Amino acid sequence: MKPSKLEEAVALTQKFTSKPSTEELLKLYGLYKQATEGDNEAERPGGFDFKAAAKYNSWLAFKGKSKAEAAEEYMGLVEKLAEKYI
């Protein structure tokens, strides 16, 4: 079975030769979660788990965006980052 364009974009991120910034990584995470799961309905993580809170907030920032829109935005961001990190 042929991988979807979203799966291909995820695979492309594995080829990055250097690590994107924290801000870029969080945006990728939020868009990916929105594209694959839709709106964030999870419970907010505890106060001292800063990494989990940042990821939660990044996903929450895309609330209301359709899965298709989020997938398109994710793929566009991966292409842009690929120029910088491959």
Side-chain angles (χ1 to χ4, degrees):
M1 191 167 100
K2 187 175 177 238
S4 73
K5 289 185 177 188
L6 183 63
E7 290 167 333
E8 288 174 8
V10 171
L12 184 58
T13 66
Q14 303 302 312
K15 296 178 181 168
F16 289 0
T17 54
S18 57
K19 189 176 177 181
S21 72
T22 301
E23 185 180 310
E24 291 165 335
L25 289 171
L26 284 170
K27 188 168 184 184
L28 283 172
Y29 175 83
L31 284 168
Y32 178 81
K33 292 294 275 186
Q34 188 70 22
T36 57
E37 296 184 35
D39 287 346
N40 184 350
E41 302 295 340
E43 207 168 296
R44 184 175 290 282
F48 292 103
D49 191 344
F50 299 115
K51 185 175 180 182
K55 290 168 84 174
Y56 176 92
N57 290 335
S58 177
W59 182 9
L60 198 61
F62 297 105
K63 187 174 184 130
K65 190 177 288 278
S66 75
K67 287 183 177 184
E69 285 177 309
E72 286 295 320
E73 201 172 322
Y74 176 87
M75 291 181 289
L77 180 58
V78 169
E79 285 178 27
K80 185 176 154 194
L81 294 177
E83 294 171 13
K84 200 164 152 182
Y85 296 109
I86 293 183

